[in-house]
Amino acid sequence: MTRLASAFSRRPALVAFVTAGDPSPAATPAVLDALVEGGADVVELGMPFTDPMADGPAIQAANIRSLAAGTTTADVLAIARSFRERHPHVPLVLMGYANPMLCRGPDWFARAAAEVGVDGVIAVDLPPEEDDALGPALRAHGLAPIRLATPTTDAARLPEVLNGAGGFLYYVSVAGITGLQQATQLSIETAVGRLKAATDLPVAVGFGIRSPDQAAAVAHVADGVVVGSAIVDLVAQHGAAAPAPIAALVRSLKEAMTAVKVPA
Amino acid sequence: MVINAATMNAPNSFRTLPDERGHFGQFGGRYVAETLMPLILELEREYRAAKDDPAFAREFDDLLEHYVGRPSPLYFAERLTEALGGAQVWFKRDELNHTGAHKINNCIGQILLARRMGKTRIIAETGAGQHGVATATVCARFGLPCTIFMGARDIERQQPNVFRMKLLGAEVRAVTSGAQTLKDAMNEALRDWVANVHDTFYIIGTAAGPHPYPELVRDFQSVIGREARAQMLSRTGRLPDLLVAAIGGGSNAIGLFHPFLDDADVRMLGVEAAGHGLDKQHAASLAGGFPGVLHGNKTYLLQDEDGQIAEAHSISAGLDYPGIGPEHAWLHEIGRVEYTAVTDHEALDAFQLLCRTEGIIPALEPSHAIAAVAKRAREMRTDEVILANLCGRGDKDIFTVAHALGVQM
């Protein structure tokens, strides 16, 4: 069983996001350790980009802080490598935009990511229509190409999104950018039901989930819950001292989720 | 199979792209977030239907004639030609369009598409403000609310256009992220679009972005080249030897070039902005960039070795963009069009040259084209003909020019 499959088998899984290099490359390992210490099942590491078009103010600011600190792709890979050494069993997913992933060629990126122990890749602006750009390279190197489904992904289109997908299916619960609105519980339940009927991949829900109560409600219906902006906000607020409050937040999210009685 | 047969029947055509996936060779495509994918697929279907609908073409042509003021004149610049002492210089006068630039051609086409799709709100990005003004104009004309995203730095250097947009009823939203110019305005427009896909149509101002935008913007702007080609033939009985146009994203250039692409004897020159110089900060993505993915398409981009997008610079806000339309990237790679770059300083000289020789105040964008014309005309014979696109007028730029020339106003 892959690390990702194993993490989702202990559902509901908490997927915790931070931007690599925020506030500095040297500070990120301690932040990642705090995610694991708090109980994150999957770590999603954002690759900073100058033009994060799908992100709201919190993660935009994290990208800017990271790049201002001089974070390079080599730094992101080094952060991933050291994470893998410290946490051999926790799945690690890289999330980012196509250009930094493709600029040395898809094969270079897939090989480098696989070598440092990354399990999957989310490329926000690579829809299935452009899978050729990176998908074949990821699959060849044993990395899961993690696809996104959204409220605008209708039944006719869903098979195309699932074709070639791996790891888990990331349901973006609101048509919008990260960190702002939250979807209604009913719309999440309906969507997750629809997605799970179409795939055996675990379904994780993200966008706008910030509090333990929200996480618990989503965990009731989904295989995983993604929390990003709320964690990134703590980095913004506490800088190098962020690991302690982050571990506390993640712990409270995880505890609320596991208190949920998962329907058989 | 059908595609192969068609390609074999027209082996010398440069006008058959993009392919069905929106690619021009390796460029173009649909690199967007999943939320937007269904919408741009719907836009493509609707555009195909509109293209086959004679009523759509009738309404577009009617508005171009009676609202925009087309056809724009083709003008022989006699005194400029004399001053340069080489090839004859002709201008396609798209600066005489309603709103003062070529941008309105595309906005008319896109707002008709938005209406066809039942969208009730319009958004757009703008750099110099010309596309913003053109968008605000068509929104006023059709009674649709519109929000224009504009970099805070561009707002500062293009105050007259900001006020124009407001007069026309648009909301101008200042974008304070990044370098606060066109690229950042486009990021913010995409963020708004993704959150409002149900009712909002995004009028992209240049021949870039995800498929089908590069194709449809080119098609709407091709009225420039179609008119110019017919006018040149009827006035001189021949085609020009060289076409010249300035390039930011490249919509006026592709609009002029595309109808001539299969005229083998017509050479073409696209002029990027070399800013402070190609070894310093500039906006010439073909001269100083390499292929990458940004804003929905693969094209040449100014970027570092990690794929981080660089800040562009040009004195012209309309050219201040670190990318270029994907069809230009392809035309550059196959060598059908030549591309060069002109500095801020050279553009300023050309701006003043046209003012004094022809009594025309050009925008800073076509001033780059005029600078390239001045260089090339001198190297060409007097019986040769250059046709340049005068894609915008310079009223909006007089404060920038005054500042650059050290004049207190």
Side-chain angles (χ1 to χ4, degrees):
Chain A
M1 194 183 275
T2 65
R3 277 187 289 254
L4 276 169
S6 162
F8 279 97
S9 71
R10 302 185 302 270
R11 67 173 298 239
L14 175 60
V15 182
F17 171 91
V18 290
T19 300
D22 174 26
S24 71
T28 303
V31 171
L32 299 184
D33 291 348
L35 299 178
V36 175
E37 184 199 324
D41 300 287
V42 178
V43 169
E44 186 188 346
L45 185 62
M47 295 178 66
F49 184 44
T50 40
D51 295 82
M53 287 152 282
D55 284 300
I59 297 179
Q60 281 178 49
N63 278 271
I64 291 168
R65 287 192 299 269
S66 170
L67 292 172
T71 307
T72 63
T73 299
D75 292 327
V76 176
L77 292 168
I79 289 166
R81 187 192 295 278
S82 77
F83 176 85
R84 180 53 67 229
E85 284 162 2
R86 295 193 308 284
H87 306 283
H89 305 298
V90 182
L92 179 67
V93 168
L94 288 181
M95 174 274 178
Y97 293 82
N99 204 47
M101 296 181 185
L102 298 178
C103 67
R104 292 181 179 87
D107 205 63
W108 181 91
F109 174 72
R111 175 176 295 129
E115 245 173 43
V116 299
V118 168
D119 299 282
V121 172
I122 304 172
V124 179
D125 49 352
L126 281 180
E129 280 76 1
E130 301 295 347
D131 184 70
D132 284 358
L134 184 62
L138 294 179
R139 286 183 282 271
H141 290 278
L143 293 164
I146 295 161
R147 290 271 173 77
L148 304 156
T150 71
T152 60
T153 310
D154 60 19
R157 180 170 168 72
L158 186 55
E160 180 152 13
V161 169
L162 293 170
N163 181 22
F168 62 94
L169 183 63
Y170 186 143
Y171 179 62
V172 173
S173 61
V174 290
I177 50 179
T178 53
L180 297 180
Q181 317 124 278
Q182 190 214 344
T184 64
Q185 182 66 13
L186 179 64
S187 75
I188 291 175
E189 282 184 31
T190 311
V192 172
R194 190 164 61 86
L195 298 175
K196 289 195 68 71
T199 181
D200 292 333
L201 288 174
V203 176
V205 176
F207 276 48
I209 303 170
R210 307 183 63 90
S211 70
D213 285 353
Q214 290 171 316
V218 174
H220 190 69
V221 294
D223 303 308
V225 176
V226 187
V227 177
S229 296
I231 299 171
V232 167
D233 280 345
L234 292 176
V235 179
Q237 210 179 322
H238 300 280
I246 286 174
L249 171 67
V250 172
R251 189 171 296 114
S252 69
L253 292 165
K254 182 65 182 175
E255 278 168 5
M257 285 167 59
T258 44
V260 172
K261 210 177 171 105
V262 176
Chain B
M1 284 300 126
V2 174
I3 289 163
N4 284 342
T7 312
M8 284 173 68
N9 285 339
N12 294 319
S13 180
F14 296 99
R15 305 178 67 221
T16 58
L17 294 177
D19 65 18
E20 72 282 5
R21 294 173 59 211
H23 290 177
F24 301 87
Q26 65 158 317
F27 303 106
R30 292 176 285 215
Y31 295 86
V32 296
E34 172 61 22
T35 312
L36 293 177
M37 236 2 259
L39 187 67
I40 66 168
L41 291 171
E42 186 198 345
L43 173 61
E44 187 185 349
R45 280 192 299 275
E46 203 59 53
Y47 180 56
R48 299 273 168 260
K51 255 179 136 169
D52 290 338
D53 180 357
F56 183 86
R58 260 199 311 276
E59 194 174 6
F60 180 64
D61 292 346
D62 183 78
L63 283 161
L64 286 189
E65 181 180 349
H66 301 294
Y67 187 65
V68 175
R70 302 206 73 94
S72 66
L74 181 75
Y75 170 71
F76 174 51
E78 196 180 341
R79 290 198 65 234
L80 178 65
T81 298
E82 210 172 280
L84 297 174
Q88 301 164 31
V89 180
W90 294 67
F91 287 116
K92 180 62 174 161
R93 301 286 306 275
D94 256 55
E95 100 281 12
L96 294 176
N97 292 337
H98 180 40
T99 73
H102 71 291
K103 293 290 185 187
I104 188 92
N105 305 327
N106 166 49
C107 290
I108 295 276
Q110 287 201 48
I111 201 149
L112 293 180
L113 275 178
R115 279 159 54 85
R116 245 183 116 89
M117 294 173 76
K119 300 297 182 188
T120 54
R121 173 176 176 262
I122 301 293
I123 57 169
E125 85 293 341
T126 197
Q130 291 304 96
H131 175 58
V133 167
T135 302
T137 298
V138 298
C139 288
R141 166 66 182 74
F142 286 99
L144 291 178
C146 88
T147 301
I148 308 292
F149 294 90
M150 188 168 185
R153 186 154 162 258
D154 286 341
I155 286 181
E156 212 171 283
R157 54 180 171 171
Q158 300 290 343
Q159 274 300 325
N161 270 345
V162 174
F163 185 56
R164 276 185 196 105
M165 287 184 267
K166 289 181 177 167
L167 282 174
L168 292 160
E171 178 202 356
V172 181
R173 220 176 277 176
V175 176
T176 53
S177 57
Q180 313 184 359
T181 60
L182 182 52
K183 159 177 94 89
D184 312 288
M186 202 151 176
N187 288 337
E188 212 52 39
L190 284 163
R191 289 182 187 119
D192 181 289
W193 199 25
V194 90
N196 296 287
V197 275
H198 56 287
D199 69 350
T200 297
F201 189 100
Y202 181 11
I203 298 188
I204 293 184
T206 192
H211 178 63
Y213 280 101
E215 177 188 347
L216 66 86
V217 174
R218 173 199 75 197
D219 291 350
F220 293 140
Q221 291 294 2
S222 288
V223 65
I224 300 170
R226 279 196 309 275
E227 284 177 6
R229 195 173 181 283
Q231 288 167 321
M232 190 58 95
L233 283 172
S234 96
R235 297 271 298 279
T236 68
R238 53 164 296 181
L239 291 174
D241 298 286
L242 178 68
L243 304 178
V244 183
I247 297 190
S251 72
N252 93 79
I254 202 71
L256 176 66
F257 295 168
H258 196 259
F260 290 91
L261 281 176
D262 289 338
D263 295 315
D265 293 335
V266 178
R267 286 173 286 132
M268 302 179 194
L269 180 65
V271 186
E272 297 190 291
H276 298 310
L278 288 177
D279 56 340
K280 303 185 184 77
Q281 229 191 352
H282 62 84
S285 23
L286 290 177
F290 61 92
V293 171
L294 181 70
H295 293 152
N297 59 179
K298 181 174 182 185
T299 189
Y300 275 77
L301 299 171
L302 298 179
Q303 55 184 321
D304 71 11
E305 66 204 25
D306 272 351
Q308 305 296 350
I309 308 302
E311 307 291 4
H313 164 78
S314 170
I315 189 170
S316 149
L319 304 182
D320 202 343
Y321 181 72
I324 183 168
E327 193 162 12
H328 286 295
W330 176 70
L331 290 166
H332 165 71
E333 267 204 357
I334 62 168
R336 175 63 186 92
V337 177
E338 181 192 351
Y339 293 86
T340 185
V342 155
T343 64
D344 290 353
H345 186 79
E346 292 167 321
L348 275 169
D349 286 349
F351 176 99
Q352 297 170 82
L353 175 68
L354 194 72
C355 288
R356 288 173 193 170
T357 55
E358 295 292 341
I360 297 173
I361 301 176
L364 282 168
E365 291 78 17
S367 295
H368 287 70
I370 296 159
V373 165
K375 275 190 218 168
R376 292 299 164 100
R378 292 187 179 105
E379 299 161 1
M380 290 166 68
R381 295 192 315 270
T382 52
D383 62 344
E384 291 185 293
V385 171
I386 297 177
L387 167 57
N389 197 12
L390 201 46
C391 63
R393 61 176 171 246
D395 315 39
K396 69 180 174 68
D397 289 320
I398 54 172
F399 301 100
T400 307
V401 171
H403 179 77
L405 298 177
V407 175
Q408 291 282 339
M409 285 180 58

